């Protein structure tokens, strides 16, 4: 298996609310919800960097598709890291997320390893880290 990831799908409880958060609140580009004509098919895709998409799809629909039991959501299953180019950009993104309705769980702060980071949760509790790492170059 080649280490190639093309879609990160987040299970959500309210597709419309999550669409508004990511599209209207964070400014992610999307064509909106597609696949409504199919049972378990309604999903929204957002283009991220080249070759990578974020999808939001109903948790019940994911369970149906993957043939697994629907389980309680947990924000500690994984985090999504959004790396930025400066401390100031961490603050700007965090404020944008807050205005969009995110819950700030960890305000921006200097890290023990020399970076600067913060965490927020989206409307479904998915945990995002906004981080500046002085060791990494950000390609726009």
């Amino acid at each position: 298996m080649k280490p190639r990831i093309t879609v990160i799908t987040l299970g959500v409880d309210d597709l419309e609310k999550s669409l508004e958060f990511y599209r209207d609140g964070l400014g992610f580009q999307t064509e909106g919800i597609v696949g409504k004509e199919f049972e378990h098919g309604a999903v929204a895709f957002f283009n991220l960097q080249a070759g990578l998409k974020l999808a939001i799809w109903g948790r019940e629909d994911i369970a149906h598709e993957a043939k697994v039991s629907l389980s309680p959501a947990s924000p500690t299953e994984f985090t999504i890291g959004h790396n930025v180019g400066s401390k100031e950009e961490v603050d700007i993104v965090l404020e944008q997320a807050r205005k969009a309705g995110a819950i700030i769980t960890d305000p921006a702060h200097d890290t023990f390893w020399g970076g600067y980071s913060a965490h927020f949760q989206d409307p479904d509790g998915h945990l995002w880290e906004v981080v500046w790492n002085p060791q990494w170059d950000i390609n726009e």
Side-chain angles (χ1 to χ4, degrees), residues 64-87:
H64 174 80
E65 173 77 11
K67 296 177 180 42
V68 297
S69 298
L70 183 62
S71 60
S74 171
T76 58
E77 295 297 322
F78 68 94
T79 66
I80 299 173
H82 178 69
N83 287 270
V84 297
S86 68
K87 288 182 175 185

Side-chain angles (χ1 to χ4, degrees), residues 29-50:
Q29 297 296 307
T30 182
E31 294 180 16
I33 298 172
V34 298
K36 289 181 180 181
E37 68 273 24
F38 304 108
E39 183 180 10
H40 305 291
V43 62
F45 295 98
F46 305 90
N47 290 320
L48 302 177
Q49 67 261 24

Side-chain angles (χ1 to χ4, degrees), residues 1-9 48-53:
M1 180 173 169
K2 293 183 180 181
R4 183 182 316 123
I5 296 175
T6 55
V7 179
I8 297 171
T9 303
L48 302 177
Q49 67 261 24
L52 182 62
K53 293 184 184 294

